[in-house]
mmCIF file of all heavy atoms in Angstrom:
data_model
loop_
_atom_site.group_PDB
_atom_site.id
_atom_site.type_symbol
_atom_site.label_atom_id
_atom_site.label_comp_id
_atom_site.label_asym_id
_atom_site.label_seq_id
_atom_site.Cartn_x
_atom_site.Cartn_y
_atom_site.Cartn_z
ATOM 1 N N LYS A 7 -0.920 25.376 18.328
ATOM 2 C CA LYS A 7 -1.701 25.659 17.079
ATOM 3 C C LYS A 7 -3.156 26.012 17.465
ATOM 4 O O LYS A 7 -3.736 25.231 18.269
ATOM 5 C CB LYS A 7 -1.643 24.465 16.127
ATOM 6 C CG LYS A 7 -2.457 24.668 14.891
ATOM 7 C CD LYS A 7 -3.721 23.852 14.850
ATOM 8 C CE LYS A 7 -4.703 24.246 13.806
ATOM 9 N NZ LYS A 7 -5.891 23.364 13.739
ATOM 10 N N GLY A 9 -6.909 26.648 15.913
ATOM 11 C CA GLY A 9 -7.690 26.422 14.642
ATOM 12 C C GLY A 9 -8.663 27.589 14.412
ATOM 13 O O GLY A 9 -8.762 28.534 15.145
ATOM 14 N N GLY A 10 -9.401 27.492 13.359
ATOM 15 C CA GLY A 10 -10.276 28.503 12.804
ATOM 16 C C GLY A 10 -11.279 29.028 13.891
ATOM 17 O O GLY A 10 -11.426 30.300 13.918
ATOM 18 N N THR A 173 -8.216 23.542 19.793
ATOM 19 C CA THR A 173 -9.383 23.567 18.901
ATOM 20 C C THR A 173 -10.636 23.853 19.687
ATOM 21 O O THR A 173 -10.567 24.447 20.762
ATOM 22 C CB THR A 173 -9.424 22.168 18.171
ATOM 23 O OG1 THR A 173 -10.536 22.217 17.263
ATOM 24 C CG2 THR A 173 -9.566 20.959 19.126
ATOM 25 N N ASP A 174 -11.818 23.525 19.125
ATOM 26 C CA ASP A 174 -13.054 23.887 19.791
ATOM 27 C C ASP A 174 -13.677 22.728 20.556
ATOM 28 O O ASP A 174 -14.816 22.839 20.992
ATOM 29 C CB ASP A 174 -14.038 24.455 18.766
ATOM 30 C CG ASP A 174 -14.349 23.532 17.608
ATOM 31 O OD1 ASP A 174 -13.819 22.379 17.625
ATOM 32 O OD2 ASP A 174 -15.089 23.918 16.659
ATOM 33 N N GLY A 177 -10.681 17.623 23.207
ATOM 34 C CA GLY A 177 -9.699 16.608 22.857
ATOM 35 C C GLY A 177 -10.322 15.721 21.801
ATOM 36 O O GLY A 177 -11.288 16.067 21.158
ATOM 37 N N TYR A 179 -12.458 12.604 20.909
ATOM 38 C CA TYR A 179 -13.487 11.876 21.595
ATOM 39 C C TYR A 179 -13.662 10.452 20.896
ATOM 40 O O TYR A 179 -13.175 10.289 19.822
ATOM 41 C CB TYR A 179 -14.861 12.619 21.516
ATOM 42 C CG TYR A 179 -14.917 13.725 22.609
ATOM 43 C CD1 TYR A 179 -14.055 14.764 22.655
ATOM 44 C CD2 TYR A 179 -15.878 13.589 23.678
ATOM 45 C CE1 TYR A 179 -14.107 15.707 23.641
ATOM 46 C CE2 TYR A 179 -15.959 14.567 24.689
ATOM 47 C CZ TYR A 179 -15.067 15.646 24.677
ATOM 48 O OH TYR A 179 -15.103 16.559 25.676
ATOM 49 N N CYS A 181 -16.132 9.421 19.545
ATOM 50 C CA CYS A 181 -16.791 9.719 18.250
ATOM 51 C C CYS A 181 -17.026 11.244 18.241
ATOM 52 O O CYS A 181 -16.986 11.860 19.352
ATOM 53 C CB CYS A 181 -18.117 8.979 18.116
ATOM 54 S SG CYS A 181 -18.842 9.121 16.436
ATOM 55 N N ASP A 182 -17.248 11.873 17.145
ATOM 56 C CA ASP A 182 -17.521 13.248 17.075
ATOM 57 C C ASP A 182 -18.662 13.561 18.010
ATOM 58 O O ASP A 182 -19.802 13.032 17.836
ATOM 59 C CB ASP A 182 -17.944 13.595 15.605
ATOM 60 C CG ASP A 182 -18.064 15.142 15.443
ATOM 61 O OD1 ASP A 182 -18.239 15.865 16.424
ATOM 62 O OD2 ASP A 182 -18.004 15.571 14.294
ATOM 63 N N ARG A 184 -20.603 15.859 18.178
ATOM 64 C CA ARG A 184 -21.791 16.436 17.496
ATOM 65 C C ARG A 184 -22.698 15.336 16.920
ATOM 66 O O ARG A 184 -23.816 15.523 16.603
ATOM 67 C CB ARG A 184 -21.416 17.311 16.288
ATOM 68 C CG ARG A 184 -20.641 18.560 16.776
ATOM 69 C CD ARG A 184 -20.246 19.306 15.504
ATOM 70 N NE ARG A 184 -18.963 20.036 15.725
ATOM 71 C CZ ARG A 184 -18.868 21.335 15.789
ATOM 72 N NH1 ARG A 184 -19.941 22.114 15.626
ATOM 73 N NH2 ARG A 184 -17.703 21.920 16.112
ATOM 74 N N SER A 208 -12.782 11.390 11.056
ATOM 75 C CA SER A 208 -12.658 12.224 12.305
ATOM 76 C C SER A 208 -11.733 13.348 12.050
ATOM 77 O O SER A 208 -10.574 13.319 12.388
ATOM 78 C CB SER A 208 -12.209 11.388 13.460
ATOM 79 O OG SER A 208 -13.133 10.379 13.804
ATOM 80 N N LYS A 209 -12.341 14.450 11.571
ATOM 81 C CA LYS A 209 -11.497 15.595 11.053
ATOM 82 C C LYS A 209 -10.949 16.445 12.128
ATOM 83 O O LYS A 209 -10.507 17.547 11.919
ATOM 84 C CB LYS A 209 -12.238 16.361 10.000
ATOM 85 C CG LYS A 209 -12.651 15.497 8.838
ATOM 86 C CD LYS A 209 -12.052 15.926 7.476
ATOM 87 C CE LYS A 209 -11.989 14.855 6.459
ATOM 88 N NZ LYS A 209 -13.242 14.386 5.905
ATOM 89 N N VAL A 210 -10.979 15.954 13.424
ATOM 90 C CA VAL A 210 -10.404 16.813 14.471
ATOM 91 C C VAL A 210 -8.930 16.968 14.325
ATOM 92 O O VAL A 210 -8.359 18.027 14.647
ATOM 93 C CB VAL A 210 -10.743 16.139 15.814
ATOM 94 C CG1 VAL A 210 -10.250 14.765 15.962
ATOM 95 C CG2 VAL A 210 -10.282 17.040 17.005
HETATM 96 P P1 ADP B 1 -9.911 23.474 14.011
HETATM 97 O O1 ADP B 1 -10.588 24.545 13.272
HETATM 98 O O2 ADP B 1 -9.578 23.867 15.387
HETATM 99 O O3 ADP B 1 -8.794 22.825 13.288
HETATM 100 P P2 ADP B 1 -11.671 21.351 13.274
HETATM 101 O O4 ADP B 1 -13.082 21.799 12.945
HETATM 102 O O5 ADP B 1 -10.779 21.001 12.177
HETATM 103 O O6 ADP B 1 -11.098 22.432 14.277
HETATM 104 O O7 ADP B 1 -11.843 20.108 14.245
HETATM 105 C C1 ADP B 1 -12.637 20.152 15.410
HETATM 106 C C2 ADP B 1 -13.914 19.467 15.149
HETATM 107 O O8 ADP B 1 -13.714 18.067 14.823
HETATM 108 C C3 ADP B 1 -14.871 19.353 16.318
HETATM 109 O O9 ADP B 1 -15.660 20.573 16.418
HETATM 110 C C4 ADP B 1 -15.630 18.141 16.077
HETATM 111 O O10 ADP B 1 -16.977 18.380 15.666
HETATM 112 C C5 ADP B 1 -14.929 17.388 15.057
HETATM 113 N N1 ADP B 1 -14.651 15.992 15.364
HETATM 114 C C6 ADP B 1 -14.792 14.959 14.464
HETATM 115 N N2 ADP B 1 -14.468 13.815 15.052
HETATM 116 C C7 ADP B 1 -14.078 14.095 16.343
HETATM 117 C C8 ADP B 1 -13.647 13.238 17.411
HETATM 118 N N3 ADP B 1 -13.531 11.976 17.326
HETATM 119 N N4 ADP B 1 -13.336 13.903 18.551
HETATM 120 C C9 ADP B 1 -13.431 15.330 18.704
HETATM 121 N N5 ADP B 1 -13.894 16.096 17.664
HETATM 122 C C10 ADP B 1 -14.260 15.483 16.448
#
Side-chain angles (χ1 to χ4, degrees):
K7 177 252 167 178
T173 181
D174 57 2
Y179 277 66
C181 188
D182 187 341
R184 294 177 211 249
S208 295
K209 300 242 157 67
V210 59

